[in-house]
Amino acid sequence: MISWLKRTHLLQWLPDGVGLTRMPRREKVLYLTFDDGPDPRYTSALLDLLKIHQVQATFFLIGRQAKLHPELVERVIAEGHQIGNHSYSHPRFRELSLAQKMEEIDRTDQVLADFDGIRHHAVRPPSGAFSFALTLHFARCRRTLTYWSYDSLDYQHRSAVELVDQMRQKPPVAGDVVLMHDDSDCCIEMLRTLLPEWRAAGLGFAALPAQRSGRDA
């Protein structure tokens, strides 16, 4: 199995616009991204925290969850965050055919379009799993696979204190796209500590820029 770091390196070699792993370092900005929401148990608390610290971020939403909790999607958008496509049901993507992958992506695009009117959204495959066939299809459609350059490891069922200590040892740097997850309170506990520290270090925060809309193929 290819590690996320190796997949990141592979995406960096793709033609311009096909793979996004990090942003330019010229501005001291971090790009926080949250996968697997919206979740009625955690999304509101996360949004409250981001609002306190005036942080804009990007939420890669599961289509089924977005359909179940439209009020949370509306709040994400209203508070200035970007939304992206994280499949409809978060299946084991590497086990699906290209047609099945695109059905998950297209179905989620349709759900998200009802909220923001955008036909095609930035796509982050579940677990970061992408294949040559999916990459080639995205290149033909002029769409971007959105990855990350820094993994918070907040999905590893370890304590927030331990994960914060680990991130302090090798912190994200300007331009990093930071992977976090909106399906537990782990990232919330981590960010309560880290956001003030990152601000004190002179870092700002921004949502990822809107991706080009692409075309059907």
Side-chain angles (χ1 to χ4, degrees):
M1 184 182 299
I2 302 176
S3 70
W4 74 267
L5 190 57
K6 289 182 178 178
R7 291 196 293 266
T8 297
H9 289 160
L10 288 172
L11 281 174
Q12 291 173 345
W13 287 98
L14 294 175
D16 185 42
V18 178
L20 185 154
T21 59
R22 63 172 300 114
M23 298 295 290
R25 294 188 179 185
R26 58 180 175 267
E27 297 183 9
K28 295 191 71 175
V29 173
L30 293 180
Y31 298 84
L32 303 184
T33 66
F34 301 97
D35 291 5
D36 295 353
D39 190 304
R41 295 164 293 179
Y42 309 110
T43 300
S44 290
L46 175 58
L47 288 169
D48 289 343
L49 182 63
L50 297 179
K51 189 173 184 179
I52 289 170
H53 292 279
Q54 298 181 311
V55 172
Q56 265 66 58
T58 304
F59 288 74
F60 286 92
L61 305 178
I62 296 173
R64 180 172 59 192
Q65 290 292 105
K67 199 169 183 178
L68 286 172
H69 308 290
E71 73 288 350
L72 293 175
V73 183
E74 291 168 356
R75 182 180 171 190
V76 167
I77 295 170
E79 296 186 2
H81 306 288
Q82 290 281 358
I83 60 173
N85 186 323
H86 197 47
S87 82
Y88 189 80
S89 62
H90 205 287
R92 294 181 180 274
F93 233 48
R94 59 177 53 90
E95 298 176 3
L96 303 185
S97 67
L98 176 59
Q100 290 171 322
K101 291 183 176 80
M102 289 311 303
E103 181 179 359
E104 285 272 332
I105 291 168
D106 292 342
R107 191 174 180 186
T108 301
D109 268 344
Q110 292 171 10
V111 172
L112 300 185
D114 287 340
F115 294 99
D116 62 10
I118 297 174
R119 186 175 183 184
H120 296 296
H121 292 78
V123 174
R124 176 175 285 166
S127 304
F130 67 90
S131 62
F132 176 76
L134 181 65
T135 305
L136 182 59
H137 182 79
F138 267 54
R140 287 173 176 167
C141 295
R142 301 176 185 172
R143 295 188 66 176
T144 303
L145 287 168
T146 306
Y147 220 68
W148 60 86
S149 57
Y150 190 97
D151 189 348
S152 72
L153 304 177
D154 64 346
Y155 50 86
Q156 288 192 343
H157 305 293
R158 294 155 63 191
S159 74
V161 171
E162 181 182 356
L163 291 170
V164 165
D165 286 343
Q166 182 169 306
M167 290 182 73
R168 284 171 174 159
Q169 293 172 24
K170 189 177 180 181
V173 298
D176 269 333
V177 176
V178 181
L179 172 68
M180 305 192 91
H181 292 79
D182 186 19
D183 60 353
S184 77
D185 59 5
C186 185
C187 81
I188 299 171
E189 294 302 317
M190 293 170 69
L191 290 174
R192 284 198 178 109
T193 300
L194 290 170
L195 288 178
E197 293 182 3
W198 289 337
R199 283 287 192 197
L203 289 166
F205 303 91
L208 291 171
Q211 299 296 292
R212 61 191 181 188
S213 62
R215 61 180 177 81
D216 296 323

